[in-house]
Amino acid sequence: MMLSSILLSAALMYHVAAEHLEMIEKPVSFSDAEKECVEKGGHLASIHDRNHNDRLKDVCRGSGSPHNCWIGLKHDGQTWQWTDGTTVDYTFWHGGSPTTETGTVCGALLRQYTDVGEWISEKCDAPETHAVAICSIGGSQNPNTGRQNTGHTNQPVMSQPAVTSQPVTMAVTDLGKAPARKGTRLTVKGTHFEQNGKKVFLSGVNQAWVSNGHDFGDNNYEYRHLEFEKYLKMVYQNGGNSMRVWVHDEGAVTPHFDASGMVVSLDQKGTFINDIKKYLRKALEYNILIFFCLWNGAQAQNDHIKIDGLIKDEAKLQSYIDNALIPWVKAVKDEPAMGGWDIINEMEGEIKPNLANAEPCFDTNFLLNSGAGWAGQLYTSQQFLKFINWQADAIRQVDPQALVTAGSWEARSNVDKWGGFNVYKDECLVKAGGKKMGTLTFYSSHTYAWQGKYSEFSPFKHVVADYGLKKPLVVAEFNQVSGAGMDIVDQFKHLYTSGYTGGWTWHIRAEGGNTDSPATQMRGLLSLKGKDDLTSGGMIPLTL
């Protein structure tokens, strides 16, 4: 095994009181990691307060490894225990953890998707969950000193309680009525947006998350808000006016489901609405419109069973609409920074391509050999369109002025030419779901080059008039790194001058390979800062 001392700055030595921390840099099982630590005269590190957690988080993230970091927490089938024998008096679990449903599980500091030091439960000795590890050697494990802990809980963690069908609410501060608007709401006029009677171009970024699917509800925003605020400020300072933010993803934390798959509330602890309002109030300070993306069709992971029920079962979808979506829309419709709703990201990821149907709206032969269905060919076009139709209808019934869209993977699914088909048009959505108000108020599409080339459907190969659409079109995901050699400044210029109604880069936290750095994205925004050419793209500075 490879072990190295962890350094503080250049000295690569790190102490907490008398505690000396060493890093196992090679990914290993939990059992092997603990054995290695014992051989060194210690144990896997235990954690007893937020300050100590923050220090170990810095050690984990500073290791340079993409793997999670084992800590000494293990579930023996009945209770959680630290391997050094100290009391479990503090936890900081990531949303969706811990789970003990798959047998013996152990705790690790989460390395990706969050940078606040949360923990995840993993199978202790499965090859696919090998992790690096932090040993605590020769001294205090920083036991509880009696001070109030500042993490999720300061109570011993017993076996994970079963999820109940009723929300467990916690006290939240009433934020009161929405602040008064200083300008009019963003509205649709023909193929563009308007505010205060002037044409508007949405210039911004995809947030898209701090911790995907775990940012809002169950008090999670408390641990994310500084990160969210950092990016709001960054976009504002570089001249942007809007951001696209993902919420449910596949339903890991929100909404709150009962054991049968019915939605009973937005979240279990009752903080979701306040979390969202706090974010919108902060966005208002920076004059940034927020567009919430509810669901994700680009991947099928551990929590997919939840969204699967909503797509296939009318009663489950209606339970989400009644107990989550409608209360959410009612709560935020008057918030000045509330921009709009994106029902689902890239449903084409899970659609069944090449499925013949006598009804053109449900025939997916146009997707043959297109790459659609990359996340699993799980649902028909009709199922997805009904899913969108019902939610769009619910939003617009509560708030008739709401802006609603659904982000397609590429414009192939938005255009009735070049071999494509516009499955998102009003006719198709109403045929699928039967609800007349369940239509989109604007279109949004994504575009990335493949093998160095844009497809014939890409907005960067057309002006918007080429598509023949009768609604605004926002290019809701794009970047320079998959831009067929186009510079980000040229991309923004093209969108602004070619009739598109907005562009959002992917994505500001720059996780993964297919994303531009924040600096590159800000350079793109800065190129349009202050633009107000009403004969071209329109106004970018907004008055919310």
mmCIF file of all heavy atoms in Angstrom, residues 411 445-449 453-464 466-467 473 475-480 482-484 486-496 498 500 502-505:
data_model
loop_
_atom_site.group_PDB
_atom_site.id
_atom_site.type_symbol
_atom_site.label_atom_id
_atom_site.label_comp_id
_atom_site.label_asym_id
_atom_site.label_seq_id
_atom_site.Cartn_x
_atom_site.Cartn_y
_atom_site.Cartn_z
ATOM 1 N N ALA A 411 -31.679 20.237 -31.677
ATOM 2 C CA ALA A 411 -32.852 20.782 -32.355
ATOM 3 C C ALA A 411 -33.498 19.797 -33.323
ATOM 4 O O ALA A 411 -34.562 20.089 -33.877
ATOM 5 C CB ALA A 411 -32.472 22.068 -33.083
ATOM 6 N N SER A 445 -33.109 24.198 -26.586
ATOM 7 C CA SER A 445 -32.379 23.073 -27.151
ATOM 8 C C SER A 445 -30.912 23.171 -26.776
ATOM 9 O O SER A 445 -30.417 24.247 -26.422
ATOM 10 C CB SER A 445 -32.533 23.066 -28.678
ATOM 11 O OG SER A 445 -31.963 21.907 -29.240
ATOM 12 N N HIS A 446 -30.212 22.045 -26.865
ATOM 13 C CA HIS A 446 -28.804 21.973 -26.504
ATOM 14 C C HIS A 446 -27.991 21.618 -27.742
ATOM 15 O O HIS A 446 -28.492 20.959 -28.654
ATOM 16 C CB HIS A 446 -28.595 20.906 -25.418
ATOM 17 C CG HIS A 446 -29.500 21.068 -24.245
ATOM 18 N ND1 HIS A 446 -29.759 20.052 -23.347
ATOM 19 C CD2 HIS A 446 -30.229 22.136 -23.805
ATOM 20 C CE1 HIS A 446 -30.593 20.483 -22.411
ATOM 21 N NE2 HIS A 446 -30.903 21.740 -22.689
ATOM 22 N N THR A 447 -26.743 22.027 -27.765
ATOM 23 C CA THR A 447 -25.921 21.720 -28.931
ATOM 24 C C THR A 447 -24.460 21.534 -28.551
ATOM 25 O O THR A 447 -23.867 22.397 -27.894
ATOM 26 C CB THR A 447 -26.053 22.804 -30.019
ATOM 27 O OG1 THR A 447 -25.334 22.406 -31.183
ATOM 28 C CG2 THR A 447 -25.554 24.163 -29.554
ATOM 29 N N TYR A 448 -23.919 20.388 -28.922
ATOM 30 C CA TYR A 448 -22.509 20.070 -28.716
ATOM 31 C C TYR A 448 -21.976 19.420 -29.988
ATOM 32 O O TYR A 448 -22.670 18.621 -30.630
ATOM 33 C CB TYR A 448 -22.322 19.102 -27.547
ATOM 34 C CG TYR A 448 -22.791 19.627 -26.217
ATOM 35 C CD1 TYR A 448 -24.018 19.234 -25.682
ATOM 36 C CD2 TYR A 448 -22.016 20.526 -25.490
ATOM 37 C CE1 TYR A 448 -24.455 19.714 -24.462
ATOM 38 C CE2 TYR A 448 -22.447 21.014 -24.263
ATOM 39 C CZ TYR A 448 -23.664 20.606 -23.755
ATOM 40 O OH TYR A 448 -24.088 21.098 -22.547
ATOM 41 N N ALA A 449 -20.768 19.770 -30.338
ATOM 42 C CA ALA A 449 -20.145 19.133 -31.495
ATOM 43 C C ALA A 449 -19.792 17.679 -31.164
ATOM 44 O O ALA A 449 -19.450 17.352 -30.023
ATOM 45 C CB ALA A 449 -18.885 19.896 -31.904
ATOM 46 N N LYS A 453 -17.440 18.210 -35.028
ATOM 47 C CA LYS A 453 -18.378 18.825 -35.956
ATOM 48 C C LYS A 453 -19.752 18.970 -35.313
ATOM 49 O O LYS A 453 -20.213 18.086 -34.594
ATOM 50 C CB LYS A 453 -18.508 17.973 -37.225
ATOM 51 C CG LYS A 453 -17.235 17.863 -38.043
ATOM 52 C CD LYS A 453 -17.470 17.006 -39.283
ATOM 53 C CE LYS A 453 -16.187 16.870 -40.109
ATOM 54 N NZ LYS A 453 -16.405 16.043 -41.317
ATOM 55 N N TYR A 454 -20.404 20.094 -35.610
ATOM 56 C CA TYR A 454 -21.798 20.262 -35.222
ATOM 57 C C TYR A 454 -22.691 19.508 -36.203
ATOM 58 O O TYR A 454 -22.389 19.414 -37.404
ATOM 59 C CB TYR A 454 -22.195 21.737 -35.247
ATOM 60 C CG TYR A 454 -21.778 22.521 -34.017
ATOM 61 C CD1 TYR A 454 -21.008 23.668 -34.137
ATOM 62 C CD2 TYR A 454 -22.196 22.126 -32.753
ATOM 63 C CE1 TYR A 454 -20.653 24.411 -33.011
ATOM 64 C CE2 TYR A 454 -21.847 22.843 -31.628
ATOM 65 C CZ TYR A 454 -21.071 23.991 -31.756
ATOM 66 O OH TYR A 454 -20.715 24.703 -30.642
ATOM 67 N N SER A 455 -23.815 18.996 -35.702
ATOM 68 C CA SER A 455 -24.780 18.348 -36.581
ATOM 69 C C SER A 455 -25.488 19.407 -37.425
ATOM 70 O O SER A 455 -25.428 20.609 -37.145
ATOM 71 C CB SER A 455 -25.811 17.564 -35.771
ATOM 72 O OG SER A 455 -26.824 18.424 -35.282
ATOM 73 N N GLU A 456 -26.195 18.953 -38.435
ATOM 74 C CA GLU A 456 -26.899 19.882 -39.327
ATOM 75 C C GLU A 456 -28.030 20.623 -38.604
ATOM 76 O O GLU A 456 -28.550 21.610 -39.129
ATOM 77 C CB GLU A 456 -27.486 19.123 -40.515
ATOM 78 C CG GLU A 456 -28.510 18.055 -40.134
ATOM 79 C CD GLU A 456 -29.035 17.308 -41.350
ATOM 80 O OE1 GLU A 456 -29.347 17.974 -42.358
ATOM 81 O OE2 GLU A 456 -29.120 16.073 -41.284
ATOM 82 N N PHE A 457 -28.389 20.162 -37.413
ATOM 83 C CA PHE A 457 -29.473 20.801 -36.668
ATOM 84 C C PHE A 457 -28.972 21.900 -35.725
ATOM 85 O O PHE A 457 -29.762 22.616 -35.134
ATOM 86 C CB PHE A 457 -30.238 19.752 -35.842
ATOM 87 C CG PHE A 457 -30.878 18.688 -36.667
ATOM 88 C CD1 PHE A 457 -30.250 17.469 -36.872
ATOM 89 C CD2 PHE A 457 -32.115 18.899 -37.253
ATOM 90 C CE1 PHE A 457 -30.836 16.476 -37.644
ATOM 91 C CE2 PHE A 457 -32.718 17.912 -38.025
ATOM 92 C CZ PHE A 457 -32.069 16.699 -38.226
ATOM 93 N N SER A 458 -27.669 22.028 -35.554
ATOM 94 C CA SER A 458 -27.118 22.932 -34.544
ATOM 95 C C SER A 458 -27.448 24.393 -34.818
ATOM 96 O O SER A 458 -27.341 24.862 -35.962
ATOM 97 C CB SER A 458 -25.600 22.771 -34.469
ATOM 98 O OG SER A 458 -25.035 23.746 -33.607
ATOM 99 N N PRO A 459 -27.808 25.140 -33.782
ATOM 100 C CA PRO A 459 -28.020 26.585 -33.934
ATOM 101 C C PRO A 459 -26.793 27.318 -34.462
ATOM 102 O O PRO A 459 -26.927 28.393 -35.059
ATOM 103 C CB PRO A 459 -28.356 27.038 -32.511
ATOM 104 C CG PRO A 459 -28.945 25.837 -31.868
ATOM 105 C CD PRO A 459 -28.169 24.685 -32.429
ATOM 106 N N PHE A 460 -25.611 26.754 -34.265
ATOM 107 C CA PHE A 460 -24.405 27.422 -34.753
ATOM 108 C C PHE A 460 -24.183 27.205 -36.250
ATOM 109 O O PHE A 460 -23.209 27.706 -36.815
ATOM 110 C CB PHE A 460 -23.194 26.971 -33.942
ATOM 111 C CG PHE A 460 -23.250 27.457 -32.514
ATOM 112 C CD1 PHE A 460 -23.340 26.564 -31.467
ATOM 113 C CD2 PHE A 460 -23.247 28.810 -32.235
ATOM 114 C CE1 PHE A 460 -23.411 27.010 -30.152
ATOM 115 C CE2 PHE A 460 -23.325 29.273 -30.929
ATOM 116 C CZ PHE A 460 -23.403 28.371 -29.882
ATOM 117 N N LYS A 461 -25.116 26.503 -36.894
ATOM 118 C CA LYS A 461 -25.081 26.367 -38.344
ATOM 119 C C LYS A 461 -26.276 27.059 -39.001
ATOM 120 O O LYS A 461 -26.469 26.943 -40.223
ATOM 121 C CB LYS A 461 -25.049 24.878 -38.734
ATOM 122 C CG LYS A 461 -23.829 24.137 -38.198
ATOM 123 C CD LYS A 461 -23.714 22.739 -38.742
ATOM 124 C CE LYS A 461 -23.223 22.741 -40.176
ATOM 125 N NZ LYS A 461 -22.872 21.373 -40.654
ATOM 126 N N HIS A 462 -27.063 27.760 -38.170
ATOM 127 C CA HIS A 462 -28.284 28.376 -38.694
ATOM 128 C C HIS A 462 -28.577 29.696 -37.981
ATOM 129 O O HIS A 462 -28.142 29.912 -36.849
ATOM 130 C CB HIS A 462 -29.494 27.449 -38.473
ATOM 131 C CG HIS A 462 -29.405 26.146 -39.182
ATOM 132 N ND1 HIS A 462 -29.683 26.005 -40.523
ATOM 133 C CD2 HIS A 462 -29.047 24.908 -38.736
ATOM 134 C CE1 HIS A 462 -29.511 24.742 -40.873
ATOM 135 N NE2 HIS A 462 -29.126 24.051 -39.806
ATOM 136 N N VAL A 463 -29.368 30.530 -38.650
ATOM 137 C CA VAL A 463 -30.064 31.611 -37.964
ATOM 138 C C VAL A 463 -31.408 31.046 -37.540
ATOM 139 O O VAL A 463 -31.887 30.047 -38.099
ATOM 140 C CB VAL A 463 -30.239 32.853 -38.867
ATOM 141 C CG1 VAL A 463 -28.885 33.423 -39.252
ATOM 142 C CG2 VAL A 463 -31.071 32.517 -40.101
ATOM 143 N N VAL A 464 -32.032 31.659 -36.540
ATOM 144 C CA VAL A 464 -33.230 31.049 -35.967
ATOM 145 C C VAL A 464 -34.368 30.957 -36.978
ATOM 146 O O VAL A 464 -35.196 30.036 -36.918
ATOM 147 C CB VAL A 464 -33.671 31.821 -34.702
ATOM 148 C CG1 VAL A 464 -34.371 33.128 -35.051
ATOM 149 C CG2 VAL A 464 -34.552 30.952 -33.817
ATOM 150 N N ASP A 466 -34.309 29.931 -39.874
ATOM 151 C CA ASP A 466 -34.213 28.693 -40.653
ATOM 152 C C ASP A 466 -35.120 27.593 -40.100
ATOM 153 O O ASP A 466 -35.576 26.717 -40.850
ATOM 154 C CB ASP A 466 -32.773 28.168 -40.663
ATOM 155 C CG ASP A 466 -31.819 29.063 -41.441
ATOM 156 O OD1 ASP A 466 -32.294 29.932 -42.197
ATOM 157 O OD2 ASP A 466 -30.592 28.892 -41.278
ATOM 158 N N TYR A 467 -35.363 27.611 -38.801
ATOM 159 C CA TYR A 467 -36.140 26.541 -38.170
ATOM 160 C C TYR A 467 -37.641 26.669 -38.422
ATOM 161 O O TYR A 467 -38.379 25.694 -38.292
ATOM 162 C CB TYR A 467 -35.887 26.511 -36.659
ATOM 163 C CG TYR A 467 -34.475 26.154 -36.271
ATOM 164 C CD1 TYR A 467 -33.621 27.113 -35.747
ATOM 165 C CD2 TYR A 467 -33.992 24.863 -36.421
ATOM 166 C CE1 TYR A 467 -32.316 26.790 -35.371
ATOM 167 C CE2 TYR A 467 -32.701 24.522 -36.059
ATOM 168 C CZ TYR A 467 -31.859 25.501 -35.544
ATOM 169 O OH TYR A 467 -30.573 25.182 -35.186
ATOM 170 N N LEU A 473 -36.646 30.592 -29.144
ATOM 171 C CA LEU A 473 -35.747 29.444 -28.992
ATOM 172 C C LEU A 473 -34.507 29.884 -28.224
ATOM 173 O O LEU A 473 -33.754 30.747 -28.682
ATOM 174 C CB LEU A 473 -35.340 28.876 -30.348
ATOM 175 C CG LEU A 473 -34.283 27.756 -30.350
ATOM 176 C CD1 LEU A 473 -34.778 26.551 -29.543
ATOM 177 C CD2 LEU A 473 -33.931 27.342 -31.770
ATOM 178 N N VAL A 475 -30.892 28.627 -26.651
ATOM 179 C CA VAL A 475 -29.880 27.571 -26.695
ATOM 180 C C VAL A 475 -29.421 27.362 -25.259
ATOM 181 O O VAL A 475 -28.589 28.094 -24.724
ATOM 182 C CB VAL A 475 -28.713 27.946 -27.622
ATOM 183 C CG1 VAL A 475 -27.698 26.820 -27.687
ATOM 184 C CG2 VAL A 475 -29.247 28.254 -29.025
ATOM 185 N N ALA A 476 -30.008 26.358 -24.611
ATOM 186 C CA ALA A 476 -29.929 26.220 -23.161
ATOM 187 C C ALA A 476 -28.704 25.469 -22.677
ATOM 188 O O ALA A 476 -28.462 25.407 -21.473
ATOM 189 C CB ALA A 476 -31.195 25.551 -22.631
ATOM 190 N N GLU A 477 -27.934 24.872 -23.583
ATOM 191 C CA GLU A 477 -26.638 24.270 -23.234
ATOM 192 C C GLU A 477 -25.717 24.358 -24.445
ATOM 193 O O GLU A 477 -26.103 23.946 -25.551
ATOM 194 C CB GLU A 477 -26.761 22.800 -22.814
ATOM 195 C CG GLU A 477 -27.380 22.565 -21.459
ATOM 196 C CD GLU A 477 -27.327 21.092 -21.064
ATOM 197 O OE1 GLU A 477 -26.476 20.349 -21.614
ATOM 198 O OE2 GLU A 477 -28.149 20.680 -20.220
ATOM 199 N N PHE A 478 -24.521 24.864 -24.247
ATOM 200 C CA PHE A 478 -23.471 24.856 -25.262
ATOM 201 C C PHE A 478 -22.168 25.179 -24.561
ATOM 202 O O PHE A 478 -22.153 25.631 -23.415
ATOM 203 C CB PHE A 478 -23.750 25.874 -26.381
ATOM 204 C CG PHE A 478 -23.614 27.309 -25.950
ATOM 205 C CD1 PHE A 478 -22.446 28.026 -26.197
ATOM 206 C CD2 PHE A 478 -24.648 27.966 -25.292
ATOM 207 C CE1 PHE A 478 -22.305 29.345 -25.790
ATOM 208 C CE2 PHE A 478 -24.528 29.293 -24.890
ATOM 209 C CZ PHE A 478 -23.352 29.980 -25.142
ATOM 210 N N ASN A 479 -21.052 24.954 -25.214
ATOM 211 C CA ASN A 479 -19.768 25.361 -24.657
ATOM 212 C C ASN A 479 -18.720 25.448 -25.755
ATOM 213 O O ASN A 479 -18.946 25.020 -26.900
ATOM 214 C CB ASN A 479 -19.312 24.428 -23.520
ATOM 215 C CG ASN A 479 -19.214 22.969 -23.931
ATOM 216 O OD1 ASN A 479 -18.897 22.655 -25.074
ATOM 217 N ND2 ASN A 479 -19.486 22.069 -22.993
ATOM 218 N N GLN A 480 -17.602 25.986 -25.402
ATOM 219 C CA GLN A 480 -16.498 26.120 -26.349
ATOM 220 C C GLN A 480 -15.753 24.807 -26.524
ATOM 221 O O GLN A 480 -15.311 24.479 -27.626
ATOM 222 C CB GLN A 480 -15.530 27.208 -25.870
ATOM 223 C CG GLN A 480 -14.296 27.382 -26.748
ATOM 224 C CD GLN A 480 -13.378 28.481 -26.234
ATOM 225 O OE1 GLN A 480 -13.732 29.648 -26.263
ATOM 226 N NE2 GLN A 480 -12.197 28.100 -25.732
ATOM 227 N N SER A 482 -16.714 21.818 -26.670
ATOM 228 C CA SER A 482 -17.368 20.989 -27.690
ATOM 229 C C SER A 482 -18.023 21.919 -28.703
ATOM 230 O O SER A 482 -19.202 21.765 -29.052
ATOM 231 C CB SER A 482 -18.403 20.057 -27.056
ATOM 232 O OG SER A 482 -17.788 19.104 -26.222
ATOM 233 N N GLY A 483 -17.250 22.870 -29.171
ATOM 234 C CA GLY A 483 -17.773 23.925 -30.029
ATOM 235 C C GLY A 483 -17.250 23.909 -31.452
ATOM 236 O O GLY A 483 -17.344 24.935 -32.139
ATOM 237 N N ALA A 484 -16.718 22.793 -31.905
ATOM 238 C CA ALA A 484 -16.237 22.672 -33.287
ATOM 239 C C ALA A 484 -15.252 23.779 -33.645
ATOM 240 O O ALA A 484 -15.225 24.255 -34.779
ATOM 241 C CB ALA A 484 -17.425 22.679 -34.259
ATOM 242 N N MET A 486 -15.190 26.852 -32.458
ATOM 243 C CA MET A 486 -15.694 28.222 -32.259
ATOM 244 C C MET A 486 -15.264 28.733 -30.889
ATOM 245 O O MET A 486 -15.371 28.021 -29.882
ATOM 246 C CB MET A 486 -17.217 28.276 -32.353
ATOM 247 C CG MET A 486 -17.783 28.183 -33.751
ATOM 248 S SD MET A 486 -19.585 28.451 -33.766
ATOM 249 C CE MET A 486 -19.677 30.233 -33.515
ATOM 250 N N ASP A 487 -14.820 29.961 -30.831
ATOM 251 C CA ASP A 487 -14.515 30.601 -29.565
ATOM 252 C C ASP A 487 -15.806 30.988 -28.873
ATOM 253 O O ASP A 487 -16.821 31.302 -29.510
ATOM 254 C CB ASP A 487 -13.653 31.846 -29.809
ATOM 255 C CG ASP A 487 -13.197 32.480 -28.512
ATOM 256 O OD1 ASP A 487 -12.170 32.024 -27.962
ATOM 257 O OD2 ASP A 487 -13.876 33.416 -28.030
ATOM 258 N N ILE A 488 -15.803 30.990 -27.544
ATOM 259 C CA ILE A 488 -17.021 31.286 -26.782
ATOM 260 C C ILE A 488 -17.585 32.667 -27.110
ATOM 261 O O ILE A 488 -18.796 32.874 -27.152
ATOM 262 C CB ILE A 488 -16.765 31.148 -25.264
ATOM 263 C CG1 ILE A 488 -18.084 31.177 -24.485
ATOM 264 C CG2 ILE A 488 -15.839 32.257 -24.739
ATOM 265 C CD1 ILE A 488 -18.493 29.880 -23.953
ATOM 266 N N VAL A 489 -16.707 33.634 -27.381
ATOM 267 C CA VAL A 489 -17.174 34.977 -27.745
ATOM 268 C C VAL A 489 -17.925 34.935 -29.071
ATOM 269 O O VAL A 489 -18.983 35.562 -29.225
ATOM 270 C CB VAL A 489 -15.987 35.957 -27.812
ATOM 271 C CG1 VAL A 489 -16.416 37.292 -28.421
ATOM 272 C CG2 VAL A 489 -15.406 36.184 -26.420
ATOM 273 N N ASP A 490 -17.426 34.170 -30.009
ATOM 274 C CA ASP A 490 -18.098 34.035 -31.304
ATOM 275 C C ASP A 490 -19.423 33.295 -31.161
ATOM 276 O O ASP A 490 -20.397 33.588 -31.876
ATOM 277 C CB ASP A 490 -17.196 33.305 -32.293
ATOM 278 C CG ASP A 490 -15.945 34.103 -32.635
ATOM 279 O OD1 ASP A 490 -16.024 35.349 -32.657
ATOM 280 O OD2 ASP A 490 -14.885 33.477 -32.868
ATOM 281 N N GLN A 491 -19.471 32.343 -30.249
ATOM 282 C CA GLN A 491 -20.721 31.623 -30.011
ATOM 283 C C GLN A 491 -21.796 32.565 -29.478
ATOM 284 O O GLN A 491 -22.926 32.584 -29.968
ATOM 285 C CB GLN A 491 -20.485 30.472 -29.032
ATOM 286 C CG GLN A 491 -19.660 29.334 -29.610
ATOM 287 C CD GLN A 491 -19.351 28.263 -28.580
ATOM 288 O OE1 GLN A 491 -19.034 28.562 -27.425
ATOM 289 N NE2 GLN A 491 -19.426 27.008 -28.987
ATOM 290 N N PHE A 492 -21.444 33.361 -28.467
ATOM 291 C CA PHE A 492 -22.415 34.306 -27.924
ATOM 292 C C PHE A 492 -22.833 35.335 -28.975
ATOM 293 O O PHE A 492 -24.009 35.699 -29.079
ATOM 294 C CB PHE A 492 -21.842 35.003 -26.684
ATOM 295 C CG PHE A 492 -22.169 34.303 -25.397
ATOM 296 C CD1 PHE A 492 -21.207 33.542 -24.745
ATOM 297 C CD2 PHE A 492 -23.424 34.394 -24.833
ATOM 298 C CE1 PHE A 492 -21.499 32.900 -23.551
ATOM 299 C CE2 PHE A 492 -23.733 33.754 -23.642
ATOM 300 C CZ PHE A 492 -22.763 32.997 -22.996
ATOM 301 N N LYS A 493 -21.881 35.809 -29.747
ATOM 302 C CA LYS A 493 -22.194 36.790 -30.788
ATOM 303 C C LYS A 493 -23.174 36.210 -31.796
ATOM 304 O O LYS A 493 -24.133 36.878 -32.217
ATOM 305 C CB LYS A 493 -20.916 37.234 -31.490
ATOM 306 C CG LYS A 493 -21.150 38.266 -32.593
ATOM 307 C CD LYS A 493 -19.842 38.677 -33.259
ATOM 308 C CE LYS A 493 -20.085 39.685 -34.369
ATOM 309 N NZ LYS A 493 -18.822 40.077 -35.038
ATOM 310 N N HIS A 494 -22.936 34.967 -32.207
ATOM 311 C CA HIS A 494 -23.832 34.323 -33.176
ATOM 312 C C HIS A 494 -25.246 34.226 -32.623
ATOM 313 O O HIS A 494 -26.227 34.553 -33.330
ATOM 314 C CB HIS A 494 -23.307 32.937 -33.537
ATOM 315 C CG HIS A 494 -24.233 32.175 -34.442
ATOM 316 N ND1 HIS A 494 -24.272 32.361 -35.797
ATOM 317 C CD2 HIS A 494 -25.170 31.223 -34.157
ATOM 318 C CE1 HIS A 494 -25.193 31.562 -36.320
ATOM 319 N NE2 HIS A 494 -25.741 30.855 -35.350
ATOM 320 N N LEU A 495 -25.380 33.769 -31.398
ATOM 321 C CA LEU A 495 -26.712 33.626 -30.818
ATOM 322 C C LEU A 495 -27.419 34.969 -30.707
ATOM 323 O O LEU A 495 -28.613 35.086 -30.996
ATOM 324 C CB LEU A 495 -26.618 32.953 -29.443
ATOM 325 C CG LEU A 495 -26.044 31.527 -29.427
ATOM 326 C CD1 LEU A 495 -25.982 31.004 -28.002
ATOM 327 C CD2 LEU A 495 -26.854 30.593 -30.310
ATOM 328 N N TYR A 496 -26.675 35.989 -30.306
ATOM 329 C CA TYR A 496 -27.258 37.321 -30.091
ATOM 330 C C TYR A 496 -27.708 37.954 -31.408
ATOM 331 O O TYR A 496 -28.734 38.647 -31.453
ATOM 332 C CB TYR A 496 -26.235 38.217 -29.393
ATOM 333 C CG TYR A 496 -26.758 39.587 -29.025
ATOM 334 C CD1 TYR A 496 -27.567 39.776 -27.901
ATOM 335 C CD2 TYR A 496 -26.435 40.703 -29.802
ATOM 336 C CE1 TYR A 496 -28.045 41.032 -27.566
ATOM 337 C CE2 TYR A 496 -26.903 41.963 -29.478
ATOM 338 C CZ TYR A 496 -27.719 42.120 -28.356
ATOM 339 O OH TYR A 496 -28.187 43.369 -28.024
ATOM 340 N N SER A 498 -28.376 36.325 -34.372
ATOM 341 C CA SER A 498 -29.035 35.425 -35.325
ATOM 342 C C SER A 498 -30.463 35.086 -34.958
ATOM 343 O O SER A 498 -31.043 34.134 -35.492
ATOM 344 C CB SER A 498 -28.217 34.126 -35.464
ATOM 345 O OG SER A 498 -26.916 34.398 -35.923
ATOM 346 N N TYR A 500 -31.810 34.167 -31.965
ATOM 347 C CA TYR A 500 -32.074 33.331 -30.791
ATOM 348 C C TYR A 500 -32.390 34.226 -29.598
ATOM 349 O O TYR A 500 -31.983 35.394 -29.547
ATOM 350 C CB TYR A 500 -30.883 32.417 -30.512
ATOM 351 C CG TYR A 500 -30.610 31.482 -31.663
ATOM 352 C CD1 TYR A 500 -29.657 31.802 -32.629
ATOM 353 C CD2 TYR A 500 -31.344 30.308 -31.810
ATOM 354 C CE1 TYR A 500 -29.438 30.965 -33.722
ATOM 355 C CE2 TYR A 500 -31.125 29.461 -32.887
ATOM 356 C CZ TYR A 500 -30.177 29.796 -33.847
ATOM 357 O OH TYR A 500 -29.969 28.977 -34.928
ATOM 358 N N GLY A 502 -31.670 33.528 -26.340
ATOM 359 C CA GLY A 502 -30.825 33.360 -25.177
ATOM 360 C C GLY A 502 -29.814 32.267 -25.372
ATOM 361 O O GLY A 502 -29.916 31.437 -26.299
ATOM 362 N N GLY A 503 -28.808 32.254 -24.492
ATOM 363 C CA GLY A 503 -27.801 31.213 -24.493
ATOM 364 C C GLY A 503 -27.241 31.016 -23.101
ATOM 365 O O GLY A 503 -26.886 31.980 -22.425
ATOM 366 N N TRP A 504 -27.192 29.749 -22.654
ATOM 367 C CA TRP A 504 -26.672 29.409 -21.321
ATOM 368 C C TRP A 504 -25.532 28.406 -21.479
ATOM 369 O O TRP A 504 -25.722 27.303 -22.001
ATOM 370 C CB TRP A 504 -27.770 28.805 -20.446
ATOM 371 C CG TRP A 504 -28.894 29.759 -20.140
ATOM 372 C CD1 TRP A 504 -28.790 31.097 -19.917
ATOM 373 C CD2 TRP A 504 -30.289 29.432 -20.035
ATOM 374 N NE1 TRP A 504 -30.044 31.636 -19.668
ATOM 375 C CE2 TRP A 504 -30.986 30.636 -19.732
ATOM 376 C CE3 TRP A 504 -31.020 28.253 -20.152
ATOM 377 C CZ2 TRP A 504 -32.366 30.691 -19.561
ATOM 378 C CZ3 TRP A 504 -32.391 28.296 -19.983
ATOM 379 C CH2 TRP A 504 -33.057 29.499 -19.682
ATOM 380 N N THR A 505 -24.357 28.772 -21.027
ATOM 381 C CA THR A 505 -23.198 27.892 -21.144
ATOM 382 C C THR A 505 -23.303 26.697 -20.199
ATOM 383 O O THR A 505 -23.958 26.759 -19.161
ATOM 384 C CB THR A 505 -21.902 28.650 -20.825
ATOM 385 O OG1 THR A 505 -21.971 29.134 -19.470
ATOM 386 C CG2 THR A 505 -21.691 29.816 -21.764
#
